Amino acid sequence: MAADFESFPERKNTRSAKWDMVETLFGSKEVQPMWVADMDLTIADSIKQKLIERVEHGIFGYTLTDDTLHGHVKQWIYDQHQWEINKDWIVYSPGVIPTLHMAVLTQTKPGDKIVIQTPVYPPFYSIIESHDREIVKNPLVYENNRYTMDFDHLEDTFKQGVQAIILCNPHNPVGRVWTKEELEKLTALCLAYDVLILSDEIHADLIYSGNKHTPISSLSESVSQQTVTCLSPTKTFNLAGLQVSYAIIPNKRIRTEIQDAFKKYGITMVNTMGVTALEAAYTEGKDWLNGLLQLLETNRNLVVDAFADREEITAIRAEGTYLIWLDCTNMNLSHDDLKRFMQEEAKVGLNDGASFGEEGKGFMRINIASPTAYVQEGVNKILHALDQRKNK
């Protein structure tokens, strides 16, 4: 059965963070939510059927992650990214963020410096601060509606005694898929200054045509021994609520220390339904994913084209993820006034750019993982509000 990406599922009153917090976050039930990174799309029928079968079994005891599951992960990584991993390198957890917490906790010390490349996913800040480590920013360079890394500045930060970098690839929110050449420059510096790489690659399967995701750990044996790679099927297959992820950690010492930390805090298993969904996604989900990527490319192009002739807002052309970074700086509004414009005049609920760091002021993030008609509706509301403002 072909996937249905155009029917809109009813999500209100399902304890959906995206939908049932609209009034709390945006001040009105009339605001159209296009913020938090999950999809307004039903999951693949093949995954749904496996979950139904598991429910009908009727027993939800302690559930193992066994060699068969490891094999499915290994095969998926190879098929998607041509990276040959060892099953022993896999460490399961409830999510990428818990894994990053454990990596920071075990591989760095209080007071250590950790680099993030801003603007960036907000939890990166709290991961560092909650463990009494020091945030060191390596701001991305924004020119001609595209972001790049500032390698000279990055090396300057490394010279200060940085212990780790949290890499976001593909990058949330700016949508870059870092090229192999960019990653090679990054890893050369990390190896030279002995900087641990904590790589969040949760969006690795959501790549637009003309781009290629390179797992940073796949670049060389030396890099792999200095890298923790965090992955999950949850963004790819809209399974965030099932809380299942894994890290690939070739370095045995690092892997053991992170595993021991999970055990210390009582996190020794992932949930039954998450295991079921992961296996189904990686064995039967490829056709659904191909259809999703076509939809996302259509939606990405729709948003970029819609603002192409507008002076006020530029939609940065994402290379990966289903998140579009909107440059609203030409509106010449304070950031608070920009938020009010989106919420009260356009009546769309977007992610506040400033939540990604100081460098995000004047920007907003829009989620396009919805039926095309819904994305078009949200874009039209913004365009209409811009016209209304201009005609005042």
Side-chain angles (χ1 to χ4, degrees):
M1 181 184 297
D4 179 6
F5 292 119
E6 293 306 328
S7 296
F8 198 90
E10 178 56 68
R11 299 189 64 193
K12 292 179 181 177
N13 302 315
T14 62
R15 299 192 176 94
S16 161
K18 184 174 185 178
W19 283 84
D20 292 330
M21 292 181 65
V22 167
E23 186 172 16
T24 301
L25 292 175
F26 302 110
S28 170
K29 291 181 179 180
E30 304 307 312
V31 168
Q32 179 178 342
M34 303 183 77
W35 62 292
V36 70
D38 65 14
M39 305 184 200
D40 292 313
L41 303 166
T42 54
I43 64 172
D45 286 339
S46 55
I47 301 175
K48 188 187 302 184
Q49 186 56 42
K50 292 297 184 183
L51 291 170
I52 290 169
E53 290 172 8
R54 194 67 187 81
V55 168
E56 289 179 343
H57 180 258
I59 297 175
F60 305 97
Y62 300 115
T63 302
L64 302 175
T65 50
D66 58 10
D67 193 61
T68 299
L69 189 68
H70 306 337
H72 295 320
V73 171
K74 174 182 167 71
Q75 190 64 49
W76 181 264
I77 295 297
Y78 182 77
D79 290 346
Q80 289 290 105
H81 308 296
Q82 295 72 59
W83 181 22
E84 186 74 50
I85 67 167
N86 189 310
K87 294 179 185 179
D88 294 340
W89 299 348
I90 303 169
V91 177
Y92 297 93
S93 85
V96 165
I97 297 306
T99 301
L100 290 173
H101 272 284
M102 294 304 175
V104 167
L105 183 67
T106 60
Q107 303 307 307
T108 65
K109 304 184 300 297
D112 280 354
K113 296 179 171 67
I114 300 177
V115 167
I116 54 175
Q117 296 176 302
T118 54
V120 76
Y121 185 48
F124 286 8
Y125 294 86
S126 59
I127 288 168
I128 297 170
E129 292 173 331
S130 66
H131 297 290
D132 299 317
R133 276 59 167 173
E134 180 183 341
I135 293 172
V136 177
K137 291 185 177 184
N138 170 228
L140 299 176
V141 177
Y142 180 52
E143 291 179 335
N144 300 319
N145 303 325
R146 192 169 189 263
Y147 284 86
T148 55
M149 294 189 198
D150 185 339
F151 292 105
D152 290 338
H153 180 269
L154 183 62
E155 183 167 18
D156 287 341
T157 69
F158 284 1
K159 288 177 180 178
Q160 300 171 25
V162 163
Q163 296 299 309
I165 180 172
I166 304 180
L167 177 71
C168 199
N169 183 32
H171 193 282
N172 174 12
V174 308
R176 277 301 315 278
V177 175
W178 303 117
T179 64
K180 183 178 179 182
E181 292 71 25
E182 287 171 312
L183 294 175
E184 286 173 340
K185 287 183 182 179
L186 175 65
T187 56
L189 291 173
C190 290
L191 292 173
Y193 291 92
D194 194 23
V195 174
L196 178 70
I197 304 166
L198 306 178
S199 189
D200 175 358
E201 301 186 16
I202 196 169
H203 293 97
D205 299 319
L206 300 172
I207 308 297
Y208 296 111
S209 58
N211 300 281
K212 169 69 176 169
H213 175 75
T214 301
I216 194 168
S217 189
S218 70
L219 291 177
S220 73
E221 172 66 18
S222 298
V223 173
S224 75
Q225 290 299 308
Q226 207 160 303
T227 301
V228 175
T229 304
C230 299
L231 292 154
S232 174
T234 55
K235 283 289 183 284
T236 308
F237 293 98
N238 201 26
L239 305 169
L242 296 183
Q243 295 187 313
V244 61
S245 79
Y246 56 91
I248 300 173
I249 313 174
N251 185 302
K252 185 176 181 180
R253 176 191 61 78
I254 296 174
R255 184 170 68 248
T256 300
E257 289 174 357
I258 289 175
Q259 287 174 318
D260 288 348
F262 274 121
K263 291 174 185 175
K264 179 180 178 180
Y265 289 96
I267 303 171
T268 57
M269 288 186 176
V270 289
N271 76 74
T272 302
M273 304 308 278
V275 170
T276 301
L278 188 158
E279 182 172 45
Y282 282 2
T283 56
E284 302 181 44
K286 183 63 175 175
D287 288 345
W288 183 90
L289 175 57
N290 289 338
L292 172 70
L293 290 171
Q294 291 178 19
L295 172 78
L296 294 180
E297 192 132 359
T298 295
N299 291 353
R300 188 273 310 263
N301 293 344
L302 182 161
V303 175
V304 171
D305 292 345
F307 293 105
D309 296 326
R310 303 297 303 225
E311 296 178 356
E312 309 97 324
I313 295 177
T314 298
I316 295 171
R317 190 176 186 84
E319 299 168 350
T321 83
Y322 52 76
L323 306 162
I324 305 295
W325 194 230
L326 300 179
D327 179 355
C328 309
T329 54
N330 282 345
M331 292 184 69
N332 296 315
L333 297 176
S334 72
H335 194 74
D336 286 343
D337 285 341
L338 174 61
K339 289 195 295 181
R340 278 191 287 271
F341 168 80
M342 292 296 180
Q343 293 172 206
E344 299 174 12
E345 297 181 44
K347 292 185 167 39
V348 292
L350 309 183
N351 282 97
D352 172 12
S355 69
F356 298 88
E358 183 74 18
E359 299 80 5
K361 286 186 175 179
F363 293 77
M364 302 294 283
R365 192 189 76 174
I366 186 170
N367 179 344
I368 61 166
S370 300
T372 299
Y374 185 81
V375 176
Q376 183 72 69
E377 179 184 358
V379 167
N380 286 346
K381 286 180 177 179
I382 298 172
L383 294 173
H384 178 71
L386 289 172
D387 289 338
Q388 293 290 102
R389 177 172 279 263
K390 183 180 290 188
N391 293 333
K392 281 183 178 179

